Each structure stands twice: as structure tokens, then as C-alpha cells.
Amino acid sequence: MSAVPHDDHHHEQHPYWIKRWLFTTNHKDIGTLYLWFAMIMFFVGGAMAMIIRTELFQPGLQFVDPQFFNSMTTLHALVMIFGVIMPAFTGLANWLVPMMVGAPDMALPRMNNWSFWILPFAFAMLLSTLFMEGGAPAGGWTMYPPLSLQTGAAFPFLIFSIHFLGLASIMGAINVIATILNMRAPGMSLMKMPLFVWTWLITAYLIIAVMPVLAGAVTMMLTDKFFGTSFFNAAGGGDPVLFQHIFWFFGHPEVYILILPSFGVISSIVPTFSRKPLFGYSSMVYATASIAFLSFIVWAHHMFTVGMPLGGLLFFMFATMLIAVPTGVKVFNWVATMWRGSLTFETPMLFAIAFIVLFSIGGFSGLMLAIVPADFQYQDTYFVVAHFHYVLVPGSVFAILAAVYYWLPKWTGHMYNESLGKWHFWLSAIFVNLTFFPMHFVGLAGMPRRIPDYALQFADYKMLISVGAFGFGLAQLLFLYIVVQTIRGGERATSQVWDGARGLEWTLPSPPPYHTFETAPVVK
Ligand code: HEM
Ligand SMILES: [Cu+2]
């Protein structure tokens, strides 16, 4: 608990429970709410993954029926994307952006409250479909018509929950932009901002640009189903492929929404534990902006097999490959930051280094997928599943874990248990590879994704993958334990926490008072 000496006349320090958490406009409390929400959804989505891996442990159908299996893959993806990674990053933004730019709070605190509280309602709506007639949505998180139009009573709930999720993230993004552009402390010019702030600024623009596109696509589907339109209905003169184009015009920038803030996190952590400033700061900013721009012109690499003119295939292939250039700049800069640094390997640094190595593996398999003739083979196989899990799990999720270990002492005022942190890291790093690396092999051998059963030839690898997944899932319970333990006590953290840490948030006490930077700091 933070005991704060001053400013008692215009604010009660800690209003009572309901008032504090339900009505809060404080960026730190809202950050905490987001992070706990993400943690809970991580275990909800994780439980779904365990169901998937239990069914796939052996060939033959044994645990769940195929319809429910498909609901699990669909909901697992939606929960992990919209319920875990995006809220976790928004929680980090809430906690950190004001403290990093020297602002007292987010620019629009009341809207901030709404952007969080819409989320639990949206997910209650989405998850309630599990109990509806016809079952939960089962057509994949990409919701392609005509398949997804076969959803039962759950269909409008799926669409409306997506509307709400989009609304919540657009409101959050507006807040981030308004805070960064208007509330920086004197002297904090744009090119002095920490990279976490830069990557979030660019992410926020991506969110505002593409969430309405997703909302549009699902609304068109809604009117096709209930109001007699035929946007995606070939019989009425429409085209189901149009949905794929609109969806991926959202979807590809979305995958960068899920990764750019990680780049900011890694760019904060690597310099601290290398005790050197970040190598190539401005090239990092430009690389992030280039990736964001390119993310708008590559969408059709998700649909190479729909039957496109050769010119289209070539354009999307080469544009996709171009993304490897700014991504390479980033990886180079992280490695150059570590080069000849005086490195230490505390838990946040371990997760950050694993991120650099394993995210790069995901980038390489992405390049392989971008090669059109090769993609004709890989499309809709486990190779794609391997690719995106490498960028999302040891990518985004590891970056979030790294961030929590790195800033938790700042937030709580206590050091976490370093040896338990290391255990969590090594268990996660080993099991994540055991889970996702063999997926490349079964994918190349032709195992299709989103199917509850498979040919006997895949049995050994599939069992190994399931063992890896159970191990990874269990290891995350250790993370929950470590976080709770740190909140409840532990060695006191200093203001700076890490001796190589630089930036405004480390000038505040740990934990920082409820209100910080009421008078703006001066940045030289
Ligand atoms: C060098 C960077 C990257 C390249 C070249 C690349 C390329 C590709 C390609 C070509 C596909 C389509 C494969 C297919 O369906 O046949 C794909 C799928 C996917 N990628 Fe990437 N990618 C890259 C980075 C990322 C990142 C950073 C993320 C997320 C953080 C990501 C997430 C995904 C997801 C979620 C899918 C599968 C979508 C689905 O079908 O459900 N990718 N990627
Ligand atoms: Cu893509």
C-alpha cells in the first residue's frame, strides 16, 4: 500500500473497494485492472488450449465432439488476442505511459474507465455463447462466411461482442495518443520518448485505423444473415472472398498491434541489463513506423490460395518480404546493444533474450510462408500454427512476462523471488519450444489445422506437442504464484530497482504514490 503524505485536500487517497475499482479514473488502478483481466483470461484461454491438446494427444476422437473442438480453437484465439495480449499491453500502457512521459494521468481518465469496463461485458457476452443453442462460434477466429453463417443463436452475440471489443480498444488508443501528444513534460520531445511510448503511439494509430474495418466486415455479415443483404453471398451477387480481403485488411495490421508494444518492452529491458544505451534509437523509431506502414499492404498473403492474378500474388509476396528489413534492423539493434555490454541475466532479461531468438524463428517461418508456391503447400497446415505461435507466445507473451518482472518491483514496491522467476523462465522456454517446434514438422508433412483428428503418422509428434503444452500451462501457475507473492510482500525495492535502469518512472518511489507528476518534471 502506498502511503502518500500530500494532496489530501482534493482527493481521497483510496476510496473503498467498489468505488475504487468500479469508478476509478486513476491510470495506475486502471492499469492494474487491465493486467488482472489479462491474467484471468490467460488462464481461460489456456484452459481451452488444454482441451484442444487433450483431444489431439492421440489419434481418434476421444474427449470432445468435433463441433465443440472447433469452438475451442475459435474461442481460444479470440480470448488470447482480444482478452489477453491486447488488454495486457493496454494495462502496461496505462501504468507506464504517464510515468514515462512525466504526466499526472492519462489525458481522458473517464473514458479510460469505460474502455476497461466494456471488456468484461464483451467477454461475458462472447463466453455466454458456450451455453447457447447451436453452441459457441466454431468457424475459426477469422469468421469466414459462409461457414460462420452456420453459427446458431451465438451468431449475433459473436458480432456484438466484437463491436464492443473494438470500441474498447479504440477508446484506449485515443487515450494513448492524446496523452502522448499533449501531456509530455517540458523537454520530453518526441525523439526523447522511451521506445515503449513510441511503439504504443504507433500501435494506437493502427488500432484506430483497422478496428472499424473489422467492425464493418462483421456488420456486413450481420446484415447478410438477418436483413437480406448479399455482401458475401454468391447466390445474391456478393462474394465470400470479399470478406477475406476486408478481414485481413484488419487482420494483418492487427498482428502488428499484438507485437509492436513488445518491441518497446524489449527495447527498454535490453539496455538496462546491458548497462548501455539502446543502440540505434532513431532507427528503431523509423523501423517501427515502416513496419506499421507495410502492415497495410500485405494482407492478401493470408489468402494466396483463393485464386488471385499473378500480379497480385507477386505484389503481396514481395511486400511481405520487405517487412523482414525493418524487423532485421530491430533485431540487429538489440544484439548491438548487448554487444560488449556488462550483461546480467535477471528474469526480465532472460525473457527478453528468449524473445529475440524465438521471435526471429517466427519471423523466418513467416518469410517461408510469404513465398507463394511454398505457401500453397503450407496454407492451413500446422506450419502456419507454428509460425504464429512463435511470434505470439515466445514473442508477445514473453514480452508481457518480461515487462511484468521488470516493472513489478516498481508497481508493488517489492522484489519478486528471483530464483522462482528463473524457474518460471526456464520451464516456459523449454516447454514453449517442445510445444511449437514440432508443429513445423507435422505441418510440413501435411497435418491440417482446426481438425480434431489426424492420420496415424503424426501420432508421436502430436503427443510430444501435447506434453509440451501441458508443461507450459502448468508453468504459468508458477507465474501467478510469483506475482501474488510479490504483491503481498518481499524485499523492499528501491526507486531505481535495476542499477542500469534509465527513465522517468525510475525516479519515482517504489511503489509510486497514487498521483504522480502533479508538477511536471523537467527533462533535459
Ligand atoms: C517477418 C514477419 C512476418 C511475416 C513475413 C509473416 C508472414 C505470414 C504469412 C505469409 C502468413 C499466412 C500463412 C498462411 O495462412 O498460409 C502469416 C500468418 C499469420 N501470422 Fe505472420 N508474418 C510475420 C510476422 C508476424 C507477427 C509479428 C505476428 C503476430 C505477432 C504474426 C501473426 C500471424 C498470425 C496470427 C497468422 C495466422 C492467421 C490465421 O490464419 O489465423 N505474424 N504470417
Ligand atoms: Cu499477415
Side-chain angles (χ1 to χ4, degrees), residues 285-310:
V285 174
Y286 299 130
T288 312
S290 316
I291 291 175
F293 167 75
L294 288 173
S295 77
F296 285 105
I297 57 164
V298 300
W299 76 88
H301 65 212
H302 293 273
M303 37 190 295
F304 282 146
T305 54
V306 293
M308 246 186 278
L310 183 63

Side-chain angles (χ1 to χ4, degrees), residues 188-478:
M188 178 65 78
S189 59
L190 287 176
M191 291 309 270
K192 275 191 192 152
M193 297 192 311
L195 261 163
F196 181 74
V197 179
W198 256 116
T199 52
W200 237 112
L201 180 65
I202 293 169
T203 304
Y205 278 107
L206 288 183
I207 291 176
I208 294 179
V210 302
M211 296 311 289
V213 177
L214 174 65
V218 297
T219 308
M220 286 154 87
M221 204 150 66
L222 189 80
T223 64
D224 271 7
K225 172 112 170 164
F226 294 110
F227 302 109
T229 57
S230 297
F231 292 111
F232 308 128
N233 174 8
D239 185 354
V241 174
L242 175 64
F243 179 88
Q244 299 192 24
H245 279 291
I246 305 175
F247 181 87
W248 286 111
F249 188 81
F250 144 81
H252 191 83
E254 170 67 18
V255 307
Y256 284 94
I257 291 167
L258 300 172
I259 201 71
L260 292 184
S262 322
F263 293 163
V265 167
I266 303 306
S267 303
S268 311
I269 292 175
V270 169
T272 295
F273 297 98
S274 307
R275 292 160 183 80
K276 275 175 65 193
L278 183 69
F279 183 89
Y281 172 90
S282 48
S283 67
M284 284 299 214
V285 174
Y286 299 130
T288 312
S290 316
I291 291 175
F293 167 75
L294 288 173
S295 77
F296 285 105
I297 57 164
V298 300
W299 76 88
H301 65 212
H302 293 273
M303 37 190 295
F304 282 146
T305 54
V306 293
M308 246 186 278
L310 183 63
L313 293 174
L314 291 174
F315 173 83
F316 286 108
M317 169 162 81
F318 291 128
T320 303
M321 289 178 166
L322 267 184
I323 298 189
V325 177
T327 311
V329 168
K330 286 185 165 287
V331 172
F332 179 87
N333 286 346
W334 291 321
V335 175
T337 304
M338 288 191 275
W339 177 251
R340 297 199 165 168
S342 58
L343 300 176
T344 51
F345 300 96
E346 286 86 342
T347 310
M349 183 63 162
L350 289 173
F351 274 107
I353 293 172
F355 173 98
I356 298 171
V357 176
L358 300 176
F359 173 79
S360 299
I361 293 180
F364 281 128
S365 59
L367 276 172
M368 293 172 70
L369 287 163
I371 302 167
V372 172
D375 185 70
F376 272 59
Q377 295 295 314
Y378 309 154
Q379 158 95 60
D380 268 336
T381 69
Y382 258 75
F383 192 84
V384 175
V385 181
H387 157 65
F388 66 75
H389 281 93
Y390 262 91
V391 282
L392 291 171
V393 184
S396 311
V397 171
F398 271 26
I400 292 163
L401 295 172
V404 171
Y405 282 109
Y406 185 57
W407 281 292
L408 195 61
K410 168 59 59 193
W411 300 334
T412 62
H414 301 293
M415 292 306 287
Y416 62 87
N417 181 325
E418 186 62 54
S419 51
L420 284 184
K422 289 214 164 75
W423 268 101
H424 174 225
F425 168 75
W426 284 108
L427 290 172
S428 299
I430 290 166
F431 283 122
V432 93
N433 284 295
L434 198 61
T435 309
F436 296 117
F437 209 81
M439 287 186 184
H440 293 110
F441 307 144
V442 288
L444 291 176
M447 163 86 201
R449 66 191 280 211
R450 297 172 173 169
I451 300 283
D453 194 12
Y454 48 87
L456 220 51
Q457 56 171 345
F458 303 122
D460 293 349
Y461 277 135
K462 293 300 261 185
M463 192 180 279
L464 196 66
I465 292 170
S466 289
V467 170
F470 300 146
F472 186 81
L474 285 176
Q476 303 323 304
L477 293 172
L478 180 57

